[in-house]
Amino acid sequence: NNSKDESIRNIKVNDVEKIIKKSKVKIIFCIGKKSFQTYQKYLNDKIDLPCIYLASPSSANAMKSITDLVQEYQIIKDCLK
């Protein structure tokens, strides 16, 4: 199981534009750099919502401590209020 972003190839983006526009989604959270880059490249111009980048919690990305990740991910809870 390879969780590294470099292993992602041949990206096929789902047609989520219609679903999101008909939903109550108000913000997009992208977990990991590749997710954020993919959103920016393929969906940012189609979906008029803020997109927040969050560091990957993967053990392959051990640059941040669990305490730092919990603090960073707090924004999700804050947005649900």
Side-chain angles (χ1 to χ4, degrees), residues 1-68:
N1 189 346
N2 190 345
S3 63
K4 293 186 179 189
D5 286 350
E6 297 84 35
S7 68
I8 300 172
R9 302 276 189 267
N10 302 319
I11 295 172
K12 294 179 184 175
V13 179
N14 291 320
D15 185 15
V16 296
E17 181 183 358
K18 292 177 191 174
I19 296 168
I20 289 176
K21 286 186 177 184
K22 291 181 180 183
S23 75
K24 295 180 182 181
V25 172
K26 295 179 181 158
I27 190 165
I28 305 291
F29 295 97
C30 288
I31 312 295
K33 288 179 188 174
K34 191 67 168 189
S35 168
F36 185 73
Q37 290 168 345
T38 301
Y39 179 87
Q40 294 298 315
K41 182 174 181 179
Y42 296 103
L43 298 170
N44 191 50
D45 292 339
K46 296 179 181 181
I47 300 172
D48 188 27
L49 291 174
C51 179
I52 305 294
Y53 164 78
L54 296 170
S56 172
S58 168
S59 60
N61 180 27
M63 295 182 292
K64 292 195 174 196
S65 69
I66 188 69
T67 304
D68 290 340

